[in-house]
Every structure is written in structure tokens, then in C-alpha cells.
Amino acid sequence: MDPIRSGRPSGWYKQIRSGNIVLAVNGGTSSDPDCGRTFRNYALARPNGNVDRIAAEDFDQKYAPVSETEARAWWNEKYQAVPKVHTRDLHLIAAPLRNAKDFGGYFAFLP
């Protein structure tokens, strides 16, 4: 069996420390640019929409399988608590648009 492609199947897992439940799917492989070592990743989805990646070695130490029934009840409860609208401040630094003639007529449609 190939050690890179082997590992836990996709499914529901509980973080041992916090008790939070995630949906874990195979996230493929990554390479360490310094030594060239290849390792497996998992993509972890959470009820708030966040998706994180974690190395398989860390995943194996920090997460334990959980039944789908328990996971679904926990997930639905946490999902209902997520705000329906997410807002955040965005600070945008922009320069004013120069005269359209300076662009060789590219912005000819502007008044």
C-alpha cells in the first residue's frame, strides 16, 4: 500500500481537545520545498464555512472518528448559530482615475 495515499477515510471527526466536529476529506499531498519530503493533507470543513488544511500526522494525533448521527446533531446546532450575514470593514487604497485622454481613448465610453 502506498503510504502517501493511505490514511483515514473522509468523514466526521471530533477534535480531541475541544470537542469540535469537522468534516475531513483527503486534501491531497504537499511537498516540503527544503527537503522534498511528500506528506498527506486533510481539508477540514467547519459549520461556519471555514476550510482549513492540516498535515495527516497532526490530524491523526488531534482528531478521532465520530458517528454521523452525533456529528449531524452537533453540526446543525452550530450551523444555526452562524450569523446569516457576514460583514467586515475593508480599507481600500486607490488612486483617482486619470483623464481618459491620457489612456489613448481606451476609456472613451466615460463622460
Side-chain angles (χ1 to χ4, degrees):
M1 179 179 275
D2 184 358
I4 297 300
R5 290 181 178 80
S6 64
R8 294 188 188 187
S10 299
W12 300 100
Y13 291 86
K14 181 185 280 190
Q15 188 177 28
I16 296 168
R17 189 190 71 215
S18 69
N20 291 334
I21 295 177
V22 297
L23 176 62
V25 295
N26 185 347
T29 58
S30 297
S31 297
D32 184 349
D34 295 330
C35 66
R37 186 177 77 95
T38 304
F39 53 92
R40 287 188 337 266
N41 290 319
Y42 286 95
L44 306 179
R46 293 181 166 73
N48 63 2
N50 290 345
V51 177
D52 296 319
R53 290 180 113 46
I54 186 172
E57 294 170 356
D58 293 336
F59 179 76
D60 291 339
Q61 294 173 2
K62 297 178 181 179
Y63 290 87
V66 66
S67 71
E68 184 174 347
T69 307
E70 180 183 350
R72 190 173 299 273
W74 184 91
W75 190 278
N76 288 338
E77 177 186 336
K78 296 296 181 182
Y79 181 77
Q80 295 301 323
V82 174
K84 300 299 179 206
V85 177
H86 298 279
T87 60
R88 64 183 176 144
D89 291 337
L90 175 65
H91 300 280
L92 182 65
I93 300 173
L97 183 63
R98 294 176 56 190
N99 187 341
K101 292 178 185 176
D102 292 341
F103 293 99
Y106 182 75
F107 294 106
F109 59 90
L110 295 175

